Amino acid sequence: MPYSIQKRLLIALFSITLISWFLIAIINSYGVRSEIEELFDAHLAQSANILLSLVNEELYEEYKKVEGHSDIENGALRQIEEDLESHKHEKLLAFQITVSERNFHFSSAMAPKQALSDNTNGFSDSMLDGINWRVYTLQDPESIITIRVAEPHSVRDNIINELT
């Protein structure tokens, strides 16, 4: 049965349209994934900066109360630990706080026992206890306080897949 020119053009146009939509959907999904990754990374960096500011402020306040550095009590750090233990988002984010000159280490409930990253500053990916983590590490200028904030890649991937 011979096809008319009109049917051939209609089939060709329909095929080109479907292929175009498919390619546009793939390109958009990669673009969306990239933008969401940047958003999540910005969130990690912001969380680390907030934690660093909190620890710095508590140490500074404690330092003002005591005359000598060596006599500083751990009260401020214990207060930070108590405040952070019950945070409502602790299942989504893991963090580790280390104050080197005070031998203070605190981790959220979700954080693994070993350090989330060996980086001194910046983003990294690490595999710990079978979980793939996206980690942001931040140190104060004196390298006394180290903050590591991380989230499992699975959390990001689930959200990205839902959105795309």
Side-chain angles (χ1 to χ4, degrees):
M1 173 188 266
Y3 286 103
S4 69
I5 293 176
Q6 186 179 11
K7 280 187 177 181
R8 288 185 209 168
L9 285 175
L10 188 60
I11 290 171
L13 188 60
F14 183 69
S15 299
I16 290 171
T17 302
L18 281 178
I19 291 170
S20 297
W21 282 355
F22 181 71
L23 291 175
I24 289 170
I26 290 173
I27 291 169
N28 281 341
S29 70
Y30 283 115
V32 166
R33 178 175 285 277
S34 173
E35 292 298 320
I36 292 173
E37 289 285 343
E38 284 183 33
L39 180 65
F40 281 133
D41 284 349
H43 180 256
L44 284 179
Q46 182 181 27
S47 298
N49 280 305
I50 290 170
L51 285 172
L52 181 62
S53 296
L54 175 69
V55 173
N56 259 336
E57 182 65 26
E58 290 296 328
L59 288 175
Y60 177 72
E61 289 296 320
E62 193 68 28
Y63 176 75
K64 283 185 358 183
K65 293 177 187 175
V66 180
E67 293 180 8
H69 289 285
S70 60
D71 296 335
I72 297 175
E73 294 295 322
N74 281 329
L77 293 174
R78 273 191 244 114
Q79 183 61 42
I80 292 171
E81 191 172 340
E82 290 171 11
D83 291 344
L84 293 175
E85 279 180 344
S86 61
H87 196 271
K88 65 180 178 177
H89 296 296
E90 70 182 344
K91 290 185 173 49
L92 299 178
L93 285 177
F95 60 87
Q96 297 172 333
I97 301 171
T98 304
V99 181
S100 60
E101 70 179 26
R102 302 290 298 283
N103 198 24
F104 174 81
H105 303 286
F106 177 73
S107 298
S108 64
M110 188 176 172
K113 298 295 182 209
Q114 63 268 40
L116 283 162
S117 173
D118 295 334
N119 277 8
T120 54
N121 274 317
F123 290 101
S124 63
D125 294 304
S126 63
M127 177 69 90
L128 299 169
D129 298 333
I131 299 173
N132 195 10
W133 296 91
R134 179 67 170 171
V135 184
Y136 183 75
T137 304
L138 180 65
Q139 283 188 331
D140 67 327
E142 294 83 30
S143 297
I144 296 170
I145 302 169
T146 302
I147 306 288
R148 291 180 185 91
V149 181
E151 64 187 351
H153 273 285
S154 61
V155 171
R156 290 175 166 220
D157 292 340
N158 288 342
I159 292 173
I160 289 170
N161 290 337
E162 291 281 326
L163 290 174
T164 56

mmCIF file of all heavy atoms in Angstrom, residues 113-161:
data_model
loop_
_atom_site.group_PDB
_atom_site.id
_atom_site.type_symbol
_atom_site.label_atom_id
_atom_site.label_comp_id
_atom_site.label_asym_id
_atom_site.label_seq_id
_atom_site.Cartn_x
_atom_site.Cartn_y
_atom_site.Cartn_z
ATOM 1 N N LYS A 113 33.113 6.750 62.902
ATOM 2 C CA LYS A 113 34.124 6.991 63.940
ATOM 3 C C LYS A 113 35.405 7.614 63.365
ATOM 4 O O LYS A 113 36.012 8.459 63.983
ATOM 5 C CB LYS A 113 34.471 5.689 64.672
ATOM 6 C CG LYS A 113 33.306 5.084 65.402
ATOM 7 C CD LYS A 113 32.836 5.967 66.524
ATOM 8 C CE LYS A 113 31.686 5.310 67.260
ATOM 9 N NZ LYS A 113 30.778 6.264 67.841
ATOM 10 N N GLN A 114 35.816 7.158 62.178
ATOM 11 C CA GLN A 114 37.026 7.717 61.574
ATOM 12 C C GLN A 114 36.710 9.062 60.913
ATOM 13 O O GLN A 114 35.556 9.386 60.672
ATOM 14 C CB GLN A 114 37.667 6.745 60.575
ATOM 15 C CG GLN A 114 36.816 6.418 59.375
ATOM 16 C CD GLN A 114 35.947 5.198 59.552
ATOM 17 O OE1 GLN A 114 35.377 4.977 60.610
ATOM 18 N NE2 GLN A 114 35.807 4.416 58.510
ATOM 19 N N ALA A 115 37.760 9.836 60.631
ATOM 20 C CA ALA A 115 37.585 11.150 60.024
ATOM 21 C C ALA A 115 36.896 11.013 58.673
ATOM 22 O O ALA A 115 37.215 10.132 57.879
ATOM 23 C CB ALA A 115 38.935 11.835 59.852
ATOM 24 N N LEU A 116 35.942 11.888 58.424
ATOM 25 C CA LEU A 116 35.199 11.860 57.172
ATOM 26 C C LEU A 116 36.074 12.180 55.970
ATOM 27 O O LEU A 116 35.794 11.743 54.864
ATOM 28 C CB LEU A 116 34.041 12.855 57.232
ATOM 29 C CG LEU A 116 32.830 12.401 58.037
ATOM 30 C CD1 LEU A 116 31.953 13.576 58.409
ATOM 31 C CD2 LEU A 116 32.040 11.372 57.256
ATOM 32 N N SER A 117 37.149 12.950 56.198
ATOM 33 C CA SER A 117 38.024 13.343 55.093
ATOM 34 C C SER A 117 39.398 13.681 55.636
ATOM 35 O O SER A 117 39.550 14.081 56.785
ATOM 36 C CB SER A 117 37.440 14.561 54.382
ATOM 37 O OG SER A 117 38.332 15.059 53.423
ATOM 38 N N ASP A 118 40.407 13.533 54.768
ATOM 39 C CA ASP A 118 41.763 13.937 55.128
ATOM 40 C C ASP A 118 42.085 15.336 54.636
ATOM 41 O O ASP A 118 43.161 15.856 54.912
ATOM 42 C CB ASP A 118 42.784 12.951 54.526
ATOM 43 C CG ASP A 118 42.641 11.562 55.127
ATOM 44 O OD1 ASP A 118 42.160 11.462 56.263
ATOM 45 O OD2 ASP A 118 43.019 10.588 54.443
ATOM 46 N N ASN A 119 41.176 15.945 53.890
ATOM 47 C CA ASN A 119 41.398 17.296 53.375
ATOM 48 C C ASN A 119 41.522 18.298 54.510
ATOM 49 O O ASN A 119 40.898 18.144 55.557
ATOM 50 C CB ASN A 119 40.224 17.739 52.494
ATOM 51 C CG ASN A 119 40.342 17.232 51.089
ATOM 52 O OD1 ASN A 119 41.207 16.429 50.780
ATOM 53 N ND2 ASN A 119 39.466 17.703 50.230
ATOM 54 N N THR A 120 42.320 19.325 54.288
ATOM 55 C CA THR A 120 42.389 20.402 55.264
ATOM 56 C C THR A 120 41.299 21.426 55.003
ATOM 57 O O THR A 120 40.779 22.018 55.919
ATOM 58 C CB THR A 120 43.766 21.095 55.231
ATOM 59 O OG1 THR A 120 44.033 21.513 53.896
ATOM 60 C CG2 THR A 120 44.851 20.169 55.709
ATOM 61 N N ASN A 121 40.948 21.651 53.766
ATOM 62 C CA ASN A 121 39.866 22.563 53.400
ATOM 63 C C ASN A 121 39.279 22.147 52.059
ATOM 64 O O ASN A 121 39.990 21.672 51.187
ATOM 65 C CB ASN A 121 40.360 24.014 53.292
ATOM 66 C CG ASN A 121 40.351 24.722 54.623
ATOM 67 O OD1 ASN A 121 39.411 24.611 55.394
ATOM 68 N ND2 ASN A 121 41.413 25.454 54.890
ATOM 69 N N GLY A 122 37.973 22.319 51.919
ATOM 70 C CA GLY A 122 37.342 22.093 50.631
ATOM 71 C C GLY A 122 36.515 20.823 50.554
ATOM 72 O O GLY A 122 36.306 20.129 51.537
ATOM 73 N N PHE A 123 36.065 20.550 49.330
ATOM 74 C CA PHE A 123 35.186 19.418 49.072
ATOM 75 C C PHE A 123 35.981 18.166 48.732
ATOM 76 O O PHE A 123 37.063 18.236 48.153
ATOM 77 C CB PHE A 123 34.253 19.733 47.895
ATOM 78 C CG PHE A 123 33.223 20.758 48.224
ATOM 79 C CD1 PHE A 123 33.388 22.067 47.822
ATOM 80 C CD2 PHE A 123 32.083 20.419 48.935
ATOM 81 C CE1 PHE A 123 32.439 23.025 48.123
ATOM 82 C CE2 PHE A 123 31.131 21.365 49.243
ATOM 83 C CZ PHE A 123 31.310 22.678 48.839
ATOM 84 N N SER A 124 35.416 17.026 49.098
ATOM 85 C CA SER A 124 35.997 15.739 48.735
ATOM 86 C C SER A 124 34.904 14.683 48.802
ATOM 87 O O SER A 124 33.828 14.908 49.343
ATOM 88 C CB SER A 124 37.150 15.372 49.672
ATOM 89 O OG SER A 124 36.682 15.232 51.000
ATOM 90 N N ASP A 125 35.201 13.542 48.217
ATOM 91 C CA ASP A 125 34.314 12.385 48.294
ATOM 92 C C ASP A 125 35.076 11.279 49.003
ATOM 93 O O ASP A 125 36.275 11.110 48.785
ATOM 94 C CB ASP A 125 33.913 11.918 46.891
ATOM 95 C CG ASP A 125 33.055 12.939 46.174
ATOM 96 O OD1 ASP A 125 32.019 13.317 46.734
ATOM 97 O OD2 ASP A 125 33.430 13.350 45.059
ATOM 98 N N SER A 126 34.396 10.549 49.866
ATOM 99 C CA SER A 126 35.069 9.454 50.553
ATOM 100 C C SER A 126 34.092 8.299 50.760
ATOM 101 O O SER A 126 32.886 8.486 50.817
ATOM 102 C CB SER A 126 35.639 9.919 51.901
ATOM 103 O OG SER A 126 34.610 10.336 52.754
ATOM 104 N N MET A 127 34.668 7.106 50.875
ATOM 105 C CA MET A 127 33.885 5.890 51.114
ATOM 106 C C MET A 127 34.269 5.375 52.498
ATOM 107 O O MET A 127 35.419 5.006 52.729
ATOM 108 C CB MET A 127 34.195 4.851 50.041
ATOM 109 C CG MET A 127 33.492 3.539 50.248
ATOM 110 S SD MET A 127 31.723 3.624 50.001
ATOM 111 C CE MET A 127 31.610 3.264 48.282
ATOM 112 N N LEU A 128 33.316 5.394 53.422
ATOM 113 C CA LEU A 128 33.553 4.930 54.790
ATOM 114 C C LEU A 128 32.415 4.020 55.217
ATOM 115 O O LEU A 128 31.241 4.368 55.057
ATOM 116 C CB LEU A 128 33.647 6.114 55.754
ATOM 117 C CG LEU A 128 34.771 7.122 55.484
ATOM 118 C CD1 LEU A 128 34.574 8.358 56.332
ATOM 119 C CD2 LEU A 128 36.110 6.503 55.774
ATOM 120 N N ASP A 129 32.765 2.880 55.762
ATOM 121 C CA ASP A 129 31.776 1.918 56.256
ATOM 122 C C ASP A 129 30.727 1.577 55.188
ATOM 123 O O ASP A 129 29.544 1.424 55.488
ATOM 124 C CB ASP A 129 31.073 2.454 57.511
ATOM 125 C CG ASP A 129 32.032 2.685 58.669
ATOM 126 O OD1 ASP A 129 33.067 1.999 58.703
ATOM 127 O OD2 ASP A 129 31.737 3.552 59.519
ATOM 128 N N GLY A 130 31.154 1.509 53.938
ATOM 129 C CA GLY A 130 30.252 1.159 52.854
ATOM 130 C C GLY A 130 29.329 2.284 52.399
ATOM 131 O O GLY A 130 28.428 2.061 51.605
ATOM 132 N N ILE A 131 29.536 3.487 52.898
ATOM 133 C CA ILE A 131 28.706 4.632 52.525
ATOM 134 C C ILE A 131 29.584 5.631 51.771
ATOM 135 O O ILE A 131 30.675 5.984 52.230
ATOM 136 C CB ILE A 131 28.076 5.308 53.761
ATOM 137 C CG1 ILE A 131 27.177 4.320 54.499
ATOM 138 C CG2 ILE A 131 27.299 6.552 53.364
ATOM 139 C CD1 ILE A 131 26.639 4.835 55.821
ATOM 140 N N ASN A 132 29.090 6.094 50.626
ATOM 141 C CA ASN A 132 29.798 7.085 49.837
ATOM 142 C C ASN A 132 29.359 8.472 50.311
ATOM 143 O O ASN A 132 28.180 8.807 50.268
ATOM 144 C CB ASN A 132 29.471 6.883 48.346
ATOM 145 C CG ASN A 132 30.412 7.623 47.439
ATOM 146 O OD1 ASN A 132 31.437 8.151 47.874
ATOM 147 N ND2 ASN A 132 30.073 7.667 46.173
ATOM 148 N N TRP A 133 30.316 9.289 50.793
ATOM 149 C CA TRP A 133 30.030 10.592 51.389
ATOM 150 C C TRP A 133 30.527 11.729 50.504
ATOM 151 O O TRP A 133 31.573 11.626 49.891
ATOM 152 C CB TRP A 133 30.746 10.729 52.732
ATOM 153 C CG TRP A 133 30.309 9.775 53.792
ATOM 154 C CD1 TRP A 133 30.844 8.552 54.044
ATOM 155 C CD2 TRP A 133 29.272 9.956 54.749
ATOM 156 N NE1 TRP A 133 30.203 7.959 55.101
ATOM 157 C CE2 TRP A 133 29.233 8.810 55.551
ATOM 158 C CE3 TRP A 133 28.382 10.988 55.004
ATOM 159 C CZ2 TRP A 133 28.326 8.661 56.592
ATOM 160 C CZ3 TRP A 133 27.479 10.845 56.039
ATOM 161 C CH2 TRP A 133 27.459 9.687 56.826
ATOM 162 N N ARG A 134 29.794 12.832 50.512
ATOM 163 C CA ARG A 134 30.268 14.107 49.972
ATOM 164 C C ARG A 134 30.606 14.941 51.192
ATOM 165 O O ARG A 134 29.759 15.181 52.061
ATOM 166 C CB ARG A 134 29.179 14.779 49.127
ATOM 167 C CG ARG A 134 29.572 16.121 48.557
ATOM 168 C CD ARG A 134 30.667 15.989 47.539
ATOM 169 N NE ARG A 134 30.850 17.266 46.855
ATOM 170 C CZ ARG A 134 31.832 17.516 46.042
ATOM 171 N NH1 ARG A 134 32.728 16.585 45.781
ATOM 172 N NH2 ARG A 134 31.934 18.675 45.465
ATOM 173 N N VAL A 135 31.874 15.393 51.290
ATOM 174 C CA VAL A 135 32.384 16.013 52.509
ATOM 175 C C VAL A 135 32.896 17.418 52.212
ATOM 176 O O VAL A 135 33.545 17.646 51.194
ATOM 177 C CB VAL A 135 33.542 15.179 53.110
ATOM 178 C CG1 VAL A 135 34.010 15.768 54.428
ATOM 179 C CG2 VAL A 135 33.144 13.727 53.271
ATOM 180 N N TYR A 136 32.605 18.338 53.130
ATOM 181 C CA TYR A 136 33.222 19.665 53.100
ATOM 182 C C TYR A 136 33.986 19.838 54.407
ATOM 183 O O TYR A 136 33.431 19.673 55.486
ATOM 184 C CB TYR A 136 32.178 20.770 52.956
ATOM 185 C CG TYR A 136 32.799 22.139 52.852
ATOM 186 C CD1 TYR A 136 33.426 22.546 51.673
ATOM 187 C CD2 TYR A 136 32.801 23.013 53.924
ATOM 188 C CE1 TYR A 136 34.013 23.784 51.569
ATOM 189 C CE2 TYR A 136 33.390 24.259 53.829
ATOM 190 C CZ TYR A 136 33.992 24.644 52.651
ATOM 191 O OH TYR A 136 34.589 25.875 52.547
ATOM 192 N N THR A 137 35.275 20.144 54.288
ATOM 193 C CA THR A 137 36.139 20.326 55.457
ATOM 194 C C THR A 137 36.533 21.788 55.548
ATOM 195 O O THR A 137 36.884 22.404 54.544
ATOM 196 C CB THR A 137 37.406 19.460 55.341
ATOM 197 O OG1 THR A 137 37.006 18.094 55.155
ATOM 198 C CG2 THR A 137 38.257 19.569 56.590
ATOM 199 N N LEU A 138 36.488 22.321 56.757
ATOM 200 C CA LEU A 138 36.830 23.717 56.996
ATOM 201 C C LEU A 138 37.674 23.815 58.250
ATOM 202 O O LEU A 138 37.327 23.228 59.278
ATOM 203 C CB LEU A 138 35.544 24.544 57.156
ATOM 204 C CG LEU A 138 35.685 26.032 57.408
ATOM 205 C CD1 LEU A 138 36.323 26.720 56.198
ATOM 206 C CD2 LEU A 138 34.316 26.634 57.688
ATOM 207 N N GLN A 139 38.796 24.519 58.142
ATOM 208 C CA GLN A 139 39.642 24.777 59.309
ATOM 209 C C GLN A 139 39.716 26.274 59.547
ATOM 210 O O GLN A 139 39.665 27.057 58.595
ATOM 211 C CB GLN A 139 41.065 24.253 59.091
ATOM 212 C CG GLN A 139 41.191 22.770 59.238
ATOM 213 C CD GLN A 139 42.651 22.332 59.198
ATOM 214 O OE1 GLN A 139 43.488 22.960 58.582
ATOM 215 N NE2 GLN A 139 42.934 21.237 59.869
ATOM 216 N N ASP A 140 39.843 26.641 60.815
ATOM 217 C CA ASP A 140 40.040 28.048 61.114
ATOM 218 C C ASP A 140 41.452 28.452 60.668
ATOM 219 O O ASP A 140 42.285 27.588 60.392
ATOM 220 C CB ASP A 140 39.828 28.311 62.609
ATOM 221 C CG ASP A 140 40.877 27.670 63.483
ATOM 222 O OD1 ASP A 140 41.369 26.584 63.116
ATOM 223 O OD2 ASP A 140 41.206 28.237 64.524
ATOM 224 N N PRO A 141 41.746 29.747 60.566
ATOM 225 C CA PRO A 141 43.063 30.189 60.077
ATOM 226 C C PRO A 141 44.245 29.672 60.900
ATOM 227 O O PRO A 141 45.330 29.468 60.362
ATOM 228 C CB PRO A 141 42.979 31.712 60.155
ATOM 229 C CG PRO A 141 41.522 32.015 60.065
ATOM 230 C CD PRO A 141 40.824 30.869 60.742
ATOM 231 N N GLU A 142 44.058 29.417 62.171
ATOM 232 C CA GLU A 142 45.139 28.918 63.024
ATOM 233 C C GLU A 142 45.233 27.398 63.007
ATOM 234 O O GLU A 142 46.066 26.817 63.701
ATOM 235 C CB GLU A 142 44.965 29.396 64.474
ATOM 236 C CG GLU A 142 45.095 30.893 64.655
ATOM 237 C CD GLU A 142 43.800 31.621 64.344
ATOM 238 O OE1 GLU A 142 42.707 31.045 64.547
ATOM 239 O OE2 GLU A 142 43.877 32.775 63.877
ATOM 240 N N SER A 143 44.368 26.727 62.282
ATOM 241 C CA SER A 143 44.314 25.261 62.188
ATOM 242 C C SER A 143 44.104 24.596 63.545
ATOM 243 O O SER A 143 44.617 23.517 63.814
ATOM 244 C CB SER A 143 45.573 24.711 61.521
ATOM 245 O OG SER A 143 45.675 25.176 60.207
ATOM 246 N N ILE A 144 43.346 25.249 64.387
ATOM 247 C CA ILE A 144 43.019 24.688 65.700
ATOM 248 C C ILE A 144 41.693 23.929 65.632
ATOM 249 O O ILE A 144 41.558 22.830 66.142
ATOM 250 C CB ILE A 144 42.948 25.805 66.769
ATOM 251 C CG1 ILE A 144 44.328 26.446 66.930
ATOM 252 C CG2 ILE A 144 42.439 25.261 68.092
ATOM 253 C CD1 ILE A 144 44.325 27.697 67.776
ATOM 254 N N ILE A 145 40.719 24.517 64.961
ATOM 255 C CA ILE A 145 39.382 23.939 64.864
ATOM 256 C C ILE A 145 39.197 23.377 63.457
ATOM 257 O O ILE A 145 39.447 24.059 62.464
ATOM 258 C CB ILE A 145 38.299 24.987 65.143
ATOM 259 C CG1 ILE A 145 38.496 25.606 66.525
ATOM 260 C CG2 ILE A 145 36.909 24.363 65.016
ATOM 261 C CD1 ILE A 145 37.630 26.818 66.773
ATOM 262 N N THR A 146 38.771 22.125 63.386
ATOM 263 C CA THR A 146 38.463 21.497 62.102
ATOM 264 C C THR A 146 37.004 21.042 62.124
ATOM 265 O O THR A 146 36.581 20.352 63.050
ATOM 266 C CB THR A 146 39.365 20.274 61.832
ATOM 267 O OG1 THR A 146 40.735 20.701 61.874
ATOM 268 C CG2 THR A 146 39.063 19.660 60.480
ATOM 269 N N ILE A 147 36.263 21.458 61.114
ATOM 270 C CA ILE A 147 34.857 21.089 60.972
ATOM 271 C C ILE A 147 34.730 20.264 59.698
ATOM 272 O O ILE A 147 35.206 20.672 58.641
ATOM 273 C CB ILE A 147 33.953 22.333 60.854
ATOM 274 C CG1 ILE A 147 34.171 23.303 62.019
ATOM 275 C CG2 ILE A 147 32.498 21.923 60.701
ATOM 276 C CD1 ILE A 147 33.648 22.855 63.337
ATOM 277 N N ARG A 148 34.099 19.115 59.806
ATOM 278 C CA ARG A 148 33.796 18.290 58.633
ATOM 279 C C ARG A 148 32.294 18.073 58.606
ATOM 280 O O ARG A 148 31.723 17.574 59.575
ATOM 281 C CB ARG A 148 34.518 16.950 58.701
ATOM 282 C CG ARG A 148 36.010 17.055 58.553
ATOM 283 C CD ARG A 148 36.659 15.670 58.633
ATOM 284 N NE ARG A 148 38.095 15.783 58.606
ATOM 285 C CZ ARG A 148 38.879 15.897 59.688
ATOM 286 N NH1 ARG A 148 38.329 15.906 60.892
ATOM 287 N NH2 ARG A 148 40.185 16.004 59.568
ATOM 288 N N VAL A 149 31.676 18.463 57.494
ATOM 289 C CA VAL A 149 30.242 18.278 57.323
ATOM 290 C C VAL A 149 30.054 17.411 56.088
ATOM 291 O O VAL A 149 30.693 17.638 55.065
ATOM 292 C CB VAL A 149 29.518 19.633 57.140
ATOM 293 C CG1 VAL A 149 28.032 19.421 56.977
ATOM 294 C CG2 VAL A 149 29.798 20.549 58.315
ATOM 295 N N ALA A 150 29.195 16.406 56.196
ATOM 296 C CA ALA A 150 29.028 15.467 55.084
ATOM 297 C C ALA A 150 27.593 14.987 54.994
ATOM 298 O O ALA A 150 26.832 15.059 55.957
ATOM 299 C CB ALA A 150 29.949 14.264 55.282
ATOM 300 N N GLU A 151 27.284 14.513 53.803
ATOM 301 C CA GLU A 151 26.008 13.837 53.609
ATOM 302 C C GLU A 151 26.230 12.680 52.656
ATOM 303 O O GLU A 151 27.095 12.752 51.780
ATOM 304 C CB GLU A 151 24.930 14.783 53.096
ATOM 305 C CG GLU A 151 25.174 15.371 51.750
ATOM 306 C CD GLU A 151 24.142 16.441 51.390
ATOM 307 O OE1 GLU A 151 23.159 16.604 52.112
ATOM 308 O OE2 GLU A 151 24.362 17.096 50.377
ATOM 309 N N PRO A 152 25.480 11.620 52.840
ATOM 310 C CA PRO A 152 25.631 10.473 51.940
ATOM 311 C C PRO A 152 25.192 10.836 50.520
ATOM 312 O O PRO A 152 24.222 11.574 50.333
ATOM 313 C CB PRO A 152 24.703 9.417 52.529
ATOM 314 C CG PRO A 152 24.402 9.865 53.915
ATOM 315 C CD PRO A 152 24.536 11.344 53.919
ATOM 316 N N HIS A 153 25.913 10.320 49.549
ATOM 317 C CA HIS A 153 25.524 10.552 48.157
ATOM 318 C C HIS A 153 24.140 9.984 47.875
ATOM 319 O O HIS A 153 23.419 10.497 47.018
ATOM 320 C CB HIS A 153 26.546 9.933 47.194
ATOM 321 C CG HIS A 153 27.687 10.841 46.877
ATOM 322 N ND1 HIS A 153 27.569 11.910 46.031
ATOM 323 C CD2 HIS A 153 28.968 10.851 47.308
ATOM 324 C CE1 HIS A 153 28.718 12.533 45.930
ATOM 325 N NE2 HIS A 153 29.589 11.909 46.707
ATOM 326 N N SER A 154 23.739 8.949 48.614
ATOM 327 C CA SER A 154 22.424 8.343 48.379
ATOM 328 C C SER A 154 21.299 9.335 48.658
ATOM 329 O O SER A 154 20.280 9.336 47.960
ATOM 330 C CB SER A 154 22.256 7.093 49.237
ATOM 331 O OG SER A 154 22.345 7.419 50.605
ATOM 332 N N VAL A 155 21.467 10.204 49.668
ATOM 333 C CA VAL A 155 20.450 11.217 49.971
ATOM 334 C C VAL A 155 20.326 12.171 48.793
ATOM 335 O O VAL A 155 19.229 12.475 48.322
ATOM 336 C CB VAL A 155 20.814 11.987 51.261
ATOM 337 C CG1 VAL A 155 19.900 13.180 51.454
ATOM 338 C CG2 VAL A 155 20.756 11.065 52.466
ATOM 339 N N ARG A 156 21.478 12.637 48.291
ATOM 340 C CA ARG A 156 21.474 13.533 47.137
ATOM 341 C C ARG A 156 20.864 12.848 45.920
ATOM 342 O O ARG A 156 20.041 13.442 45.216
ATOM 343 C CB ARG A 156 22.906 13.936 46.775
ATOM 344 C CG ARG A 156 23.548 14.843 47.759
ATOM 345 C CD ARG A 156 24.995 15.067 47.362
ATOM 346 N NE ARG A 156 25.519 16.179 48.117
ATOM 347 C CZ ARG A 156 26.307 17.104 47.635
ATOM 348 N NH1 ARG A 156 26.699 17.034 46.386
ATOM 349 N NH2 ARG A 156 26.721 18.074 48.380
ATOM 350 N N ASP A 157 21.284 11.631 45.664
ATOM 351 C CA ASP A 157 20.805 10.925 44.482
ATOM 352 C C ASP A 157 19.302 10.708 44.519
ATOM 353 O O ASP A 157 18.618 10.854 43.497
ATOM 354 C CB ASP A 157 21.525 9.583 44.326
ATOM 355 C CG ASP A 157 22.999 9.742 43.980
ATOM 356 O OD1 ASP A 157 23.380 10.834 43.501
ATOM 357 O OD2 ASP A 157 23.764 8.777 44.194
ATOM 358 N N ASN A 158 18.764 10.378 45.687
ATOM 359 C CA ASN A 158 17.313 10.194 45.805
ATOM 360 C C ASN A 158 16.556 11.476 45.482
ATOM 361 O O ASN A 158 15.557 11.462 44.759
ATOM 362 C CB ASN A 158 16.936 9.704 47.208
ATOM 363 C CG ASN A 158 17.338 8.283 47.462
ATOM 364 O OD1 ASN A 158 17.604 7.514 46.537
ATOM 365 N ND2 ASN A 158 17.423 7.915 48.722
ATOM 366 N N ILE A 159 17.024 12.581 46.027
ATOM 367 C CA ILE A 159 16.347 13.858 45.786
ATOM 368 C C ILE A 159 16.470 14.264 44.319
ATOM 369 O O ILE A 159 15.510 14.694 43.690
ATOM 370 C CB ILE A 159 16.912 14.948 46.712
ATOM 371 C CG1 ILE A 159 16.524 14.630 48.162
ATOM 372 C CG2 ILE A 159 16.406 16.332 46.306
ATOM 373 C CD1 ILE A 159 17.156 15.516 49.192
ATOM 374 N N ILE A 160 17.669 14.097 43.753
ATOM 375 C CA ILE A 160 17.880 14.449 42.348
ATOM 376 C C ILE A 160 17.008 13.588 41.441
ATOM 377 O O ILE A 160 16.387 14.103 40.500
ATOM 378 C CB ILE A 160 19.376 14.312 41.979
ATOM 379 C CG1 ILE A 160 20.172 15.425 42.661
ATOM 380 C CG2 ILE A 160 19.571 14.351 40.477
ATOM 381 C CD1 ILE A 160 21.658 15.265 42.577
ATOM 382 N N ASN A 161 16.931 12.296 41.723
ATOM 383 C CA ASN A 161 16.096 11.418 40.895
ATOM 384 C C ASN A 161 14.623 11.793 40.996
ATOM 385 O O ASN A 161 13.891 11.748 40.005
ATOM 386 C CB ASN A 161 16.304 9.957 41.288
ATOM 387 C CG ASN A 161 17.671 9.461 40.878
ATOM 388 O OD1 ASN A 161 18.314 9.996 39.961
ATOM 389 N ND2 ASN A 161 18.154 8.431 41.551
#
